[in-house]
Amino acid sequence: MSSPNRPPQPLQPLTGGKLVLGTVALSLAVFMNVLDSSIANVSIPAISGDLGVSPQQGTWVITSFAVANAISVPLTGWLTQRFGQVRLFITSIILFILSSTLCGLAPSMEVLIAARVLQGAVAGPMIPLSQSLLLGSYKPSKSGMALAFWGMTTLVAPIMGPLLGGWISDNYTWPWIFYINIPIGVFAAWATWSIYKERESATRKLPIDAVGLGLLVVWVGSLQIMLDKGKELDWFNSGQIVILTAVAVIAFIYFVIWELGSKHPVVDLSLFKSRNFSGGVIAISIGYGLFFGSLVILPLWLQTQLGYTATLAGEVMAPVGIFAIILSPLIGKILPKVDARWVASAAFLIFALVFFMRSGFTQNVDTMQLMIPTVIQGAAMAMFFIPLTSIILSGQPPDKIPAAAGLSNFVRIMFGGIGTSITSTFWDRRTALHYSQLSEHSGPSNPAFNDAVHGLTAQGMSPQGAYAVIDRLMTVEASTKGATDIFWISAVLFLFLVALVWLTKPIRSTGPIDAGGAH
């Protein structure tokens, strides 16, 4: 049943001050959301110490948010049809503010985890709905520009999260990583409601697909916990991980069968029938997984092996935002005039170049050598999200846009977690392999090893101290080789993704996406 307030004609795009304020409000909501998924990472030691739990238990602060968020994102399409996208978006922001406050006030780890579950759950619809509302605010010919503004916040927030979280934890107290959401959220909610309250989408009273929802919760929750805890529990050597994997696989198979046969599925899997949706989602998800894996490995390598502080490691990563911010509006402007597949291909080629450059890193790499590929990567990021999102949403009818945005974001976020887990595990195993190979060439039988020991003892160091120094050098070398192996493999995979992009169809030149999707 349609909402009685549904206008008879599609609403016109916003102009002037309303367009600017609407874009800022929606972008701030996205920034707040994405920031919160990463800001707690560097604050885990402070949170764990303050609440009297181990750092391992403290990681549930991250896991609980990720699991709840992963479950709620694909529900966006169903929730939008039931409640309307503006009401759902505003409600998500308000509940996000409330849950952030509860996180900051949490007196125990149990309460904090419960608040983080609520925060992750209500955050789910915000990102796909911000895409949909932004597209409806711009003319179809300017939809690329709308995605550019959206993309900038999505690109910058994951980088700002650890920097801001570390600074707040060092200079204030950890609850403030959650309290900063309150003023941002209040402004975003007020501005969004002021501008979009008359632009509500049609609603229908759909029956609740309880079976589909239950299966979604089971398989996504099991998979997310398996990915987050796999490395800690030594993967499939752990009975817990084996059980979680089995549950995730079985529940996923039943979920797909059920949803494809349901009249009112909680997740619209029929979207994958579109070649552009399927190809675009696979390309953006694998690319995001590779990118996010490096986003985790590079700072860890710098801090644990090369002696960088958290702040210095953040400063090395920060320049990635320079080209991303400068080029995003330009890409948004030219996208309607060029084939989006060429832009996405350029992004993957630049990513491949960046990772090939990083594959040549050594333990003696200096800050400038680290920063050059990071700066270049910003250009790839600007060309990555915008054209692929255009391809994914192209050809979708207006009422399918929120569902398509929600499902594509869900798969992308899930691949981010998969990429992080695979990358960190692969790094550990390649490091162990390289250390073993280096150890074969060390010991009293090796002249170079003996010379190194004699050189250190000649400086007044004890033999045990000399062995410890050499062991540390071998560890750093092995870890560096492990990291560069990952960078090289990532570069090759990015080249393969170029071919995947060209399996999609060209999108019409008059505008990548039907902006009516947000009306």
Side-chain angles (χ1 to χ4, degrees):
M1 184 175 69
S2 295
S3 169
N5 296 322
R6 174 74 169 172
Q9 298 295 328
L11 296 174
Q12 295 301 310
L14 296 175
T15 57
K18 280 191 173 184
L19 180 62
V20 173
L21 185 60
T23 301
V24 170
L26 295 172
S27 298
L28 279 175
V30 174
F31 183 83
M32 173 180 70
N33 185 322
V34 179
L35 184 74
D36 230 65
S37 64
S38 61
I39 195 171
N41 295 17
V42 294
S43 304
I44 292 301
I47 294 173
S48 303
D50 195 38
L51 298 181
V53 299
S54 68
Q56 286 73 27
Q57 290 173 298
T59 58
W60 280 100
V61 173
I62 302 169
T63 303
S64 56
F65 180 93
V67 170
N69 189 252
I71 291 170
S72 63
V73 169
L75 298 176
T76 302
W78 184 87
L79 290 170
T80 299
Q81 291 187 69
R82 183 68 181 81
F83 301 106
Q85 60 184 355
V86 178
R87 289 190 202 93
L88 180 58
F89 189 74
I90 298 295
T91 302
S92 294
I93 295 177
I94 293 171
L95 290 176
F96 193 85
I97 296 169
L98 175 63
S99 56
S100 296
T101 305
L102 293 175
C103 287
L105 295 173
S108 66
M109 180 56 70
E110 290 77 15
V111 175
L112 177 57
I113 289 173
R116 283 286 278 176
V117 168
L118 174 62
Q119 191 184 40
V122 301
M126 287 168 62
I127 292 180
L129 285 179
S130 67
Q131 283 182 324
S132 182
L133 288 168
L134 261 182
L135 289 171
S137 302
Y138 287 73
K139 297 177 182 178
S141 60
K142 299 289 186 182
S143 57
M145 186 63 70
L147 288 174
F149 287 124
W150 178 88
M152 281 192 288
T153 56
T154 310
L155 296 171
V156 174
I159 300 161
M160 287 294 295
L163 284 172
L164 193 57
W167 184 82
I168 290 173
S169 297
D170 290 342
N171 294 280
Y172 294 94
T173 54
W174 65 263
W176 283 99
I177 68 176
F178 300 111
Y179 291 151
I180 60 170
N181 292 330
I182 298 173
I184 298 173
V186 168
F187 172 78
W190 167 79
T192 305
W193 180 250
S194 300
I195 294 169
Y196 292 96
K197 62 184 177 182
E198 303 298 332
R199 304 171 70 87
E200 185 59 275
S201 60
T203 58
R204 292 189 295 159
K205 288 188 176 180
L206 299 172
I208 297 174
D209 178 15
V211 175
L213 180 58
L215 289 169
L216 177 73
V217 170
V218 170
W219 83 260
V220 173
S222 300
L223 178 62
Q224 193 70 46
I225 295 172
M226 183 268 284
L227 291 172
D228 282 3
K229 296 297 178 183
K231 182 181 174 184
E232 179 185 322
L233 299 175
D234 196 21
W235 290 104
F236 295 105
N237 292 318
S238 162
Q240 184 178 339
I241 294 299
V242 172
I243 291 171
L244 284 169
T245 304
V247 170
V249 171
I250 294 170
F252 173 73
I253 293 171
Y254 275 98
F255 170 78
V256 172
I257 295 171
W258 179 268
E259 293 297 277
L260 290 176
S262 176
K263 289 183 178 179
H264 301 284
V266 73
V267 178
D268 187 2
L269 297 181
S270 67
L271 290 164
F272 283 104
K273 293 179 181 178
S274 165
R275 197 165 84 188
N276 278 17
F277 183 85
S278 298
V281 166
I282 294 171
I284 200 171
S285 299
I286 296 176
Y288 186 75
L290 294 172
F291 159 70
F292 212 74
S294 72
L295 202 63
V296 172
I297 290 300
L298 196 54
L300 272 177
W301 172 60
L302 293 175
Q303 292 176 70
T304 60
Q305 306 303 325
L306 301 191
Y308 280 64
T309 63
T311 303
L312 285 174
E315 289 174 359
V316 168
M317 299 297 293
V320 75
I322 296 173
F323 273 136
I325 293 172
I326 292 173
L327 292 180
S328 287
L330 178 62
I331 298 300
K333 189 174 183 179
I334 68 170
L335 195 58
K337 304 172 185 176
V338 299
D339 190 331
R341 297 176 298 177
W342 283 110
V343 183
S345 298
F348 287 139
L349 289 173
I350 296 173
F351 269 128
L353 172 64
V354 166
F355 281 89
F356 273 126
M357 292 173 71
R358 286 176 175 162
S359 68
F361 284 169
T362 68
Q363 57 182 303
N364 298 317
V365 65
D366 59 34
T367 303
M368 184 57 67
Q369 289 173 299
L370 289 167
M371 281 189 168
I372 289 173
T374 302
V375 171
I376 296 172
Q377 182 173 279
M381 291 166 67
M383 302 180 197
F384 173 60
F385 277 102
I386 304 168
L388 285 173
T389 303
S390 298
I391 290 171
I392 289 168
L393 300 183
S394 64
Q396 297 294 342
D399 60 326
K400 293 276 190 180
I401 292 285
L407 186 53
S408 63
N409 275 285
F410 161 70
V411 179
R412 177 179 61 81
I413 292 168
M414 187 64 69
F415 267 74
I418 293 171
T420 300
S421 296
I422 292 175
T423 302
S424 57
T425 301
F426 189 75
W427 186 33
D428 283 350
R429 294 187 176 176
R430 293 298 295 180
T431 297
L433 174 65
H434 286 299
Y435 184 86
S436 176
Q437 291 173 341
L438 290 170
S439 298
E440 294 173 0
H441 302 288
S442 63
S445 60
N446 187 294
F449 177 82
N450 289 327
D451 290 344
V453 172
H454 291 153
L456 291 169
T457 53
Q459 298 175 23
M461 194 176 290
S462 67
Q464 291 78 12
Y467 292 147
V469 169
I470 294 172
D471 181 73
R472 172 60 183 168
L473 291 172
M474 288 169 55
T475 300
V476 173
E477 178 67 15
S479 179
T480 301
K481 285 180 174 292
T484 54
D485 286 347
I486 292 171
F487 298 147
W488 188 86
I489 292 171
S490 298
V492 174
L493 290 175
F494 271 119
L495 291 177
F496 279 112
L497 287 178
V498 174
L500 185 60
V501 170
W502 288 92
L503 295 179
T504 62
K505 300 176 183 178
I507 56 181
R508 52 185 183 163
S509 60
T510 54
I513 303 161
D514 182 358
H519 295 325

